[in-house]
Structure formats: C-alpha cells, structure tokens
Amino acid sequence: MFPNYVNICYICSMVITEISTGKKHKVEIVPVENSDFKTLGKDRYFFDWKTEKEYEVFKLQIIGSTEALGLVSMERIPSEWRVHIRLLTVSVENKGKGKKYDGIAGNLMAFTAKIAVRDYAEFACLSLRPKTEIAQHYIEKYNMTPTGLTLSIMVPEILELINSYDHD
Amino acid sequence: MTKKENKNITEDVEFGLDSRYSSNKEKQSEATALMEARLERMKNLSKDQIIRAKLMQLRLKMEDYIQHPVYEKHNYFSEFLKIYIDTLYTKRIHFAHDIDITPIRLSQVINNHREPKDEFLKRLMVHSEKVYENICEFQEETWYQLYFHEKLYSIMARKKEWKPKVAKHVKYSK
C-alpha cells in the first residue's frame, strides 16, 4: 500500500557533537549519488566505495554541508526481515583520539536500524559481521547478540538503539 | 590481548567496519543460523513489545511520507489512521470512545466519507502524545502535516476542474 521510498533521509532528529566545543550539529543521512563516488577515496574513507555501487550507500553530513563525515553501505534482505550493514566508516579526521565530531558511527547504525524497523516492524533485524577482535565492541556499545560470526540486534533492543540517537 | 591493544582496537572499530561475508557459502550458512536463533528469540516477544515496534514503524513511515510525499490517489491520512487505531485497539469503537467522538463519525473519516474536523485532529494529536510518550520521539504536528499534505495535493490535482470557475470571480484592479 505505502511506497518504499528510495530517497530515505532522516533529518533534524539526529545530531553529532563537535568535540572541541561541545556544540551539537543537526545532520542528515542521504543516499550517495553515482557522481559522489569519485570523491569517496580510500585516503579519506578507508575502503574502495566504488565496489558498493550496486548496494544502498548513504552518507552522513551536517545540514547545509555536502561533505560526507561518515558512510554506510547496506543490503536489505526482505526474505529474512533483515538489513545487513556491509561497510561503515567515518572520514579520516573523525577517526581515533583527535576526531572532530562524536556520534557519526552511532547515528549511521541508528539510521540503518530505522530502515529495518520501518520495513519489518516487530520482525526487524539489523546485522553485521565484524572481525572477531572488534565484535565485543559492538556487543557492548550497541547491545548486539552474536550468532556464529554474525552480530544482530532485534526488537526490543533495536528500538532502544533508535531512541538513543533520536533527539528533538 | 593487552590493555593498550584493546584500546587501539576500540579506537579503530568505529572508523572501519568491513562486514562483508567472505563467500556466498558463508553468507548462507550464517543466514540460516541467524534465522533459527532469531525465531527462538522472537517467541519471547511480549504483546507490548510488538505494539511498540509497530508504532515505531508507523512513525517512521509517516515521517518518510511527510518528507517525501508521494502524490497518488491513496488517502494516506486515513490509511495511517487505520493502522494507528488497529495497532492499539481490538475494536475501533473503543478508540472513538477514548477521543470522545461517535463511532459513526470515526467510520466516516476512516472511509473517506467525511473530512476530519479540527477538533478530531487535535484530539488525535493529544492521543498520540500519550501513546508515544514512553515509546519514542513523536512530532506532535505529524497528523496535521499528513492531512494538509494530502489536502494540498487534492487541490492541486483538481486544478483544471476548479480553476476556470474560480477565475471568473477573481480580478486584479490596479
């Protein structure tokens, strides 16, 4: 009955924090256009994003800016009521101790969680398959559950993830 | 793993997650195991948790529609309203009672036989505030936005019908 929107974008309800000032900035997460891929080099975004062109790729940017501060590619798997994150990154200046903004990766996680819940409601599942050594981080920070090599988050925890990054 | 190594990993994980499966075989086998585990976990979902998930879904769909309205012949306001009521109540008459309108009036709005009055929209707004209070953020203006998006579309879609008649009554005298 309702259309599945290609240009999903959650504006206004998501913010990131500028670490040096504590100032909060409203962000939007928008689809990466074909023409954007040439600006998404490995030097700033750590992966070869061109290989993700056949999947859904989104970028997080401060409202009013077009600079990608973070990227995520994902695959919707309707037969399993699941959204699987394939790649997720923040830009080079937002990595590690000296990073400029906080909350980029978390907002990208919450964004994909929203897509899962929007599409599959109580059956929604967000999954990822991290390398073994970093799995614990995702289990602790996002309350994910391991099954084999895959981590997943479902109702009710997935709703908590969305709420923790939803701000008016 | 030393504390320093662990710290380095934590600093690094957020910038680079490569979550792709190494092969289709691995992907399939993980998917099967995951589905089995999920079905087990889903058995424990309470009715309340299911309702919360449905209401979150409804909110997200309404937000999508408001941000990217799709102008089709559907009446999205009444469709969303039906989902809202049917998620919360076993009988629509109970919702009518809760917002103090007659079941007939509610039925007329739901079936597009009557426009919702301002009072109806206000009561729906207050009802939603109460419902969503402990579930998630909910913009109080949502129902109004839905309604007026559709109103605008309906007026613009029928412009050819009404504009010549209206134009006869309008002039610009300098």
Side-chain angles (χ1 to χ4, degrees):
Chain A
M1 174 189 55
F2 295 110
N4 268 316
Y5 303 100
V6 178
N7 290 314
I8 290 169
C9 160
Y10 293 109
I11 308 176
C12 298
S13 62
M14 295 183 144
V15 295
I16 55 171
T17 307
E18 190 168 356
I19 290 174
S20 61
T21 60
K23 190 180 170 193
K24 296 199 184 304
H25 297 266
K26 283 183 177 175
V27 293
E28 58 185 351
I29 298 175
V30 296
V32 168
E33 305 290 341
N34 254 336
S35 56
D36 290 332
F37 280 99
K38 59 179 180 289
T39 66
L40 304 177
K42 236 176 170 179
D43 50 336
R44 281 203 74 200
Y45 300 102
F46 305 102
F47 299 110
D48 181 5
W49 287 88
K50 289 191 193 89
T51 62
E52 296 302 293
K53 271 186 178 176
E54 63 185 283
Y55 296 95
E56 290 182 79
V57 184
F58 295 91
K59 62 176 175 177
L60 180 149
Q61 58 197 23
I62 290 175
I63 290 178
S65 162
T66 54
E67 184 194 356
L69 302 177
L71 295 166
V72 65
S73 71
M74 50 159 251
E75 180 183 3
R76 293 184 214 218
I77 312 172
S79 59
E80 298 174 33
W81 317 303
R82 176 160 70 107
V83 172
H84 185 76
I85 290 180
R86 290 173 51 80
L87 287 179
L88 186 149
T89 194
V90 299
S91 58
V92 67
E93 66 276 10
N94 289 298
K95 172 197 166 189
K97 267 191 237 165
K99 67 181 172 184
K100 195 173 173 193
Y101 296 106
D102 193 31
I104 298 169
N107 272 306
L108 289 169
M109 289 283 292
F111 170 76
T112 48
K114 280 181 174 178
I115 291 175
V117 173
R118 185 205 173 278
D119 286 359
Y120 312 123
E122 70 269 33
F123 303 109
C125 175
L126 175 66
S127 66
L128 47 91
R129 184 242 188 262
K131 293 202 166 48
T132 318
E133 57 269 30
I134 62 172
Q136 197 55 32
H137 170 80
Y138 286 91
I139 292 170
E140 285 169 15
K141 183 161 183 183
Y142 300 108
N143 209 1
M144 300 190 90
T145 304
T147 307
L149 299 168
T150 303
L151 301 184
S152 64
I153 183 167
M154 309 168 39
V155 174
E157 291 84 5
I158 196 168
L159 304 181
E160 288 163 21
L161 170 62
I162 292 171
N163 282 335
S164 61
Y165 286 90
D166 236 359
H167 300 279
D168 246 344
Chain B
M1 190 184 295
T2 65
K3 209 174 171 181
K4 192 180 171 189
E5 279 170 338
N6 192 37
K7 195 177 168 216
N8 285 341
I9 284 169
T10 306
E11 276 177 8
D12 288 351
V13 287
E14 297 267 291
F15 84 82
L17 171 69
D18 185 348
S19 179
R20 295 170 291 192
Y21 291 102
S22 54
S23 65
N24 263 338
K25 194 179 166 193
E26 184 193 54
K27 187 179 175 183
Q28 278 313 315
S29 126
E30 286 286 310
T32 307
L34 179 60
M35 185 53 90
E36 281 171 17
R38 283 171 59 202
L39 289 172
E40 272 308 303
R41 279 154 60 196
M42 277 194 272
K43 283 181 192 166
N44 299 321
L45 277 185
S46 67
K47 195 179 166 192
D48 180 59
Q49 287 168 330
I50 292 169
I51 289 173
R52 283 167 173 267
K54 284 179 188 285
L55 288 170
M56 175 71 91
Q57 180 188 46
L58 179 66
R59 183 205 105 176
L60 294 170
K61 284 189 171 184
M62 290 198 288
E63 282 178 0
D64 280 352
Y65 176 72
I66 290 165
Q67 285 176 20
H68 307 282
V70 176
Y71 295 133
E72 290 172 353
K73 282 191 174 172
H74 282 296
N75 187 323
Y76 288 102
F77 175 84
S78 58
E79 293 295 335
F80 282 126
L81 180 61
K82 264 187 239 173
I83 295 172
Y84 178 71
I85 298 169
D86 294 346
T87 302
L88 293 166
Y89 295 87
T90 47
K91 288 185 179 170
R92 289 177 184 168
I93 191 173
H94 295 150
F95 173 72
H97 177 77
D98 277 1
I99 65 164
D100 196 19
I101 60 164
T102 65
I104 293 170
R105 176 64 57 87
L106 176 62
S107 171
Q108 287 169 333
V109 172
I110 283 175
N111 294 307
N112 304 314
H113 296 146
R114 183 177 277 212
E115 298 269 308
K117 286 190 174 171
D118 200 41
E119 202 56 34
F120 179 96
L121 289 165
K122 283 177 182 159
R123 288 179 195 181
L124 178 58
M125 182 200 280
V126 174
H127 189 274
S128 300
E129 273 174 27
K130 290 178 192 291
V131 166
Y132 276 97
E133 197 174 19
N134 296 312
I135 297 174
C136 61
E137 296 274 348
F138 186 80
Q139 302 292 322
E140 59 183 5
E141 62 270 29
T142 300
W143 290 108
Y144 268 97
Q145 285 176 324
L146 281 174
Y147 176 68
F148 284 113
H149 263 305
E150 236 167 62
K151 195 87 183 145
L152 176 65
Y153 166 68
S154 160
I155 289 168
M156 297 316 286
R158 290 185 292 109
K159 198 164 69 174
K160 280 183 186 166
E161 291 168 35
W162 59 258
K163 201 174 174 185
K165 290 176 205 159
V166 171
K168 284 181 191 167
H169 299 278
V170 180
K171 61 184 174 193
Y172 175 45
S173 311
K174 286 188 183 174

Coordinates of all heavy atoms in Angstrom, one line a residue, chain A residues 73-109:
Chain A
S73 N 27.2 1.3 3.8 CA 26.5 0.6 2.7 C 25.8 -0.6 3.3 O 26.3 -1.2 4.3 CB 27.5 0.1 1.6 OG 28.3 -0.9 2.1
M74 N 24.6 -0.8 2.8 CA 23.8 -1.9 3.4 C 23.0 -2.7 2.4 O 22.9 -2.2 1.3 CB 22.8 -1.2 4.4 CG 22.1 0.0 3.8 SD 20.6 0.3 4.7 CE 19.4 -0.2 3.5
E75 N 22.6 -3.8 2.8 CA 21.8 -4.7 2.0 C 20.5 -5.0 2.7 O 20.5 -5.5 3.8 CB 22.6 -5.9 1.7 CG 21.8 -6.9 0.8 CD 22.6 -8.2 0.5 OE1 23.7 -8.4 1.1 OE2 22.1 -9.0 -0.2
R76 N 19.3 -4.7 2.0 CA 18.1 -5.2 2.6 C 17.8 -6.6 2.2 O 18.0 -6.9 1.0 CB 16.9 -4.3 2.1 CG 17.0 -2.9 2.5 CD 15.8 -2.1 2.1 NE 16.1 -0.7 1.8 CZ 15.4 0.3 2.0 NH1 14.2 0.2 2.6 NH2 15.8 1.5 1.7
I77 N 17.4 -7.4 3.1 CA 17.1 -8.8 2.8 C 15.7 -9.1 3.3 O 15.4 -9.6 4.4 CB 18.1 -9.8 3.5 CG1 19.6 -9.3 3.3 CG2 18.0 -11.2 3.0 CD1 20.6 -10.0 4.1
P78 N 14.7 -8.7 2.4 CA 13.3 -8.8 2.8 C 12.9 -10.2 3.2 O 12.1 -10.4 4.1 CB 12.5 -8.3 1.6 CG 13.5 -7.6 0.8 CD 14.9 -8.2 1.1
S79 N 13.4 -11.2 2.5 CA 13.0 -12.6 2.9 C 13.4 -13.0 4.3 O 12.9 -14.0 4.8 CB 13.7 -13.6 1.9 OG 15.1 -13.5 1.9
E80 N 14.3 -12.3 4.9 CA 14.7 -12.6 6.3 C 14.4 -11.4 7.2 O 14.9 -11.4 8.3 CB 16.2 -12.8 6.3 CG 16.7 -14.0 5.5 CD 18.2 -14.1 5.5 OE1 18.9 -13.7 6.5 OE2 18.8 -14.5 4.4
W81 N 13.6 -10.4 6.7 CA 13.3 -9.3 7.5 C 14.5 -8.6 8.1 O 14.6 -8.3 9.3 CB 12.3 -9.6 8.7 CG 11.2 -10.5 8.3 CD1 10.3 -10.3 7.3 CD2 10.9 -11.8 8.9 NE1 9.4 -11.4 7.3 CE2 9.7 -12.3 8.2 CE3 11.4 -12.5 9.9 CZ2 9.2 -13.5 8.6 CZ3 10.8 -13.7 10.3 CH2 9.7 -14.2 9.6
R82 N 15.5 -8.5 7.3 CA 16.8 -8.1 7.9 C 17.5 -7.1 7.0 O 17.4 -7.0 5.8 CB 17.7 -9.4 7.9 CG 19.2 -9.1 8.4 CD 19.8 -10.4 8.9 NE 20.0 -11.4 7.9 CZ 21.3 -11.7 7.4 NH1 22.3 -11.1 7.9 NH2 21.4 -12.7 6.5
V83 N 18.2 -6.2 7.7 CA 19.1 -5.2 7.0 C 20.6 -5.6 7.4 O 20.8 -5.6 8.6 CB 18.8 -3.8 7.3 CG1 19.8 -2.8 6.8 CG2 17.4 -3.4 6.8
H84 N 21.4 -5.8 6.5 CA 22.8 -6.1 6.8 C 23.7 -5.0 6.4 O 23.7 -4.5 5.3 CB 23.2 -7.4 6.1 CG 24.6 -7.9 6.5 ND1 24.8 -8.5 7.7 CD2 25.8 -7.8 5.9 CE1 26.1 -8.8 7.8 NE2 26.7 -8.4 6.7
I85 N 24.5 -4.5 7.4 CA 25.5 -3.5 7.1 C 26.7 -4.2 6.5 O 27.2 -5.1 7.0 CB 25.9 -2.8 8.5 CG1 24.8 -2.0 9.0 CG2 27.2 -1.9 8.2 CD1 25.1 -1.2 10.3
R86 N 27.1 -3.6 5.4 CA 28.3 -4.2 4.7 C 29.6 -3.4 5.0 O 30.5 -4.0 5.5 CB 28.0 -4.1 3.1 CG 27.0 -5.1 2.7 CD 26.6 -4.9 1.2 NE 27.8 -4.9 0.4 CZ 28.5 -6.0 -0.1 NH1 28.0 -7.2 0.2 NH2 29.6 -5.9 -0.8
L87 N 29.5 -2.1 4.9 CA 30.7 -1.3 5.2 C 30.2 -0.1 6.0 O 29.1 0.4 5.7 CB 31.4 -0.8 4.0 CG 32.2 -1.7 3.1 CD1 32.8 -1.0 1.9 CD2 33.4 -2.4 3.9
L88 N 31.0 0.3 7.0 CA 30.6 1.5 7.7 C 32.0 2.2 8.0 O 32.9 1.6 8.5 CB 29.9 1.2 9.0 CG 29.3 2.3 9.8 CD1 28.0 1.9 10.5 CD2 30.3 2.8 10.8
T89 N 32.0 3.5 7.8 CA 33.2 4.3 8.1 C 32.9 5.7 8.5 O 31.8 6.2 8.1 CB 34.2 4.2 7.0 OG1 35.5 4.7 7.5 CG2 33.8 5.1 5.8
V90 N 33.8 6.3 9.2 CA 33.8 7.8 9.4 C 35.0 8.3 8.6 O 35.9 7.6 8.2 CB 34.0 8.2 10.9 CG1 32.8 7.6 11.7 CG2 35.3 7.7 11.4
S91 N 34.9 9.6 8.3 CA 36.0 10.2 7.5 C 37.3 10.3 8.3 O 37.2 10.2 9.6 CB 35.6 11.6 7.0 OG 35.3 12.4 8.1
V92 N 38.4 10.4 7.7 CA 39.7 10.3 8.3 C 39.9 11.3 9.5 O 40.5 10.9 10.6 CB 40.9 10.4 7.3 CG1 41.0 11.8 6.7 CG2 42.2 10.0 7.9
E93 N 39.3 12.5 9.4 CA 39.5 13.4 10.5 C 38.6 13.1 11.7 O 38.7 13.8 12.7 CB 39.3 14.9 10.0 CG 37.9 15.2 9.6 CD 37.7 14.8 8.1 OE1 38.5 14.1 7.5 OE2 36.6 15.2 7.6
N94 N 37.8 12.1 11.6 CA 36.9 11.7 12.7 C 37.3 10.4 13.3 O 36.5 9.7 13.9 CB 35.4 11.8 12.2 CG 35.0 13.2 12.0 OD1 35.0 14.0 12.9 ND2 34.7 13.5 10.8
K95 N 38.5 10.0 13.0 CA 39.0 8.7 13.5 C 39.8 8.9 14.8 O 40.6 9.9 14.8 CB 39.8 8.1 12.4 CG 40.6 6.8 12.8 CD 41.7 6.5 11.9 CE 42.6 5.5 12.5 NZ 43.8 5.2 11.8
G96 N 39.6 8.0 15.7 CA 40.5 8.0 16.9 C 40.5 9.2 17.8 O 39.5 9.9 17.8
K97 N 41.6 9.3 18.6 CA 41.6 10.3 19.7 C 41.3 11.8 19.2 O 40.7 12.5 19.9 CB 42.9 10.3 20.4 CG 43.0 9.4 21.6 CD 44.3 9.6 22.3 CE 45.0 8.3 22.4 NZ 46.4 8.4 22.8
G98 N 41.9 12.1 18.1 CA 41.9 13.5 17.6 C 40.6 13.8 16.8 O 40.6 14.9 16.1
K99 N 39.6 13.0 16.9 CA 38.5 13.2 16.0 C 37.7 14.5 16.2 O 37.7 15.0 17.4 CB 37.5 12.0 16.0 CG 36.8 11.8 17.4 CD 36.0 10.6 17.3 CE 35.4 10.2 18.6 NZ 34.6 9.0 18.6
K100 N 37.1 15.0 15.2 CA 36.5 16.3 15.3 C 35.0 16.2 15.8 O 34.6 17.0 16.7 CB 36.4 16.9 13.9 CG 36.1 18.4 13.9 CD 36.2 19.0 12.5 CE 35.7 20.5 12.5 NZ 35.5 21.0 11.2
Y101 N 34.3 15.2 15.4 CA 32.9 15.0 15.8 C 32.7 13.6 16.4 O 33.3 12.7 16.0 CB 32.0 15.1 14.6 CG 32.0 16.5 13.9 CD1 32.6 16.7 12.7 CD2 31.3 17.6 14.5 CE1 32.6 17.9 12.1 CE2 31.3 18.8 13.9 CZ 31.9 19.0 12.7 OH 32.0 20.2 12.1
D102 N 31.8 13.6 17.4 CA 31.4 12.4 18.0 C 30.0 12.0 17.6 O 29.2 12.8 17.5 CB 31.5 12.5 19.5 CG 31.5 11.2 20.3 OD1 32.0 10.2 19.7 OD2 31.0 11.2 21.4
G103 N 29.8 10.7 17.4 CA 28.4 10.2 17.2 C 28.1 9.9 15.7 O 27.0 9.5 15.4
I104 N 29.1 9.9 14.9 CA 28.9 9.7 13.5 C 28.5 8.2 13.3 O 27.5 7.9 12.7 CB 30.1 10.0 12.6 CG1 30.4 11.5 12.7 CG2 29.9 9.7 11.1 CD1 31.7 12.0 12.2
A105 N 29.3 7.3 13.7 CA 29.1 5.9 13.5 C 27.8 5.4 14.2 O 27.0 4.7 13.6 CB 30.3 5.0 14.1
G106 N 27.5 5.9 15.4 CA 26.3 5.6 16.1 C 25.1 6.0 15.4 O 24.1 5.3 15.3
N107 N 25.1 7.2 14.8 CA 24.0 7.7 14.0 C 23.8 6.9 12.7 O 22.6 6.6 12.3 CB 24.2 9.2 13.6 CG 23.7 10.1 14.7 OD1 22.5 10.0 15.1 ND2 24.5 11.0 15.2
L108 N 24.9 6.4 12.2 CA 24.7 5.6 11.0 C 24.1 4.2 11.3 O 23.3 3.7 10.6 CB 26.1 5.4 10.3 CG 26.6 6.6 9.5 CD1 28.1 6.4 9.1 CD2 25.8 7.0 8.3
M109 N 24.5 3.7 12.5 CA 23.9 2.4 13.0 C 22.4 2.6 13.2 O 21.6 1.8 12.8 CB 24.6 2.0 14.3 CG 26.0 1.5 14.2 SD 26.2 -0.1 13.6 CE 25.5 -1.1 14.9

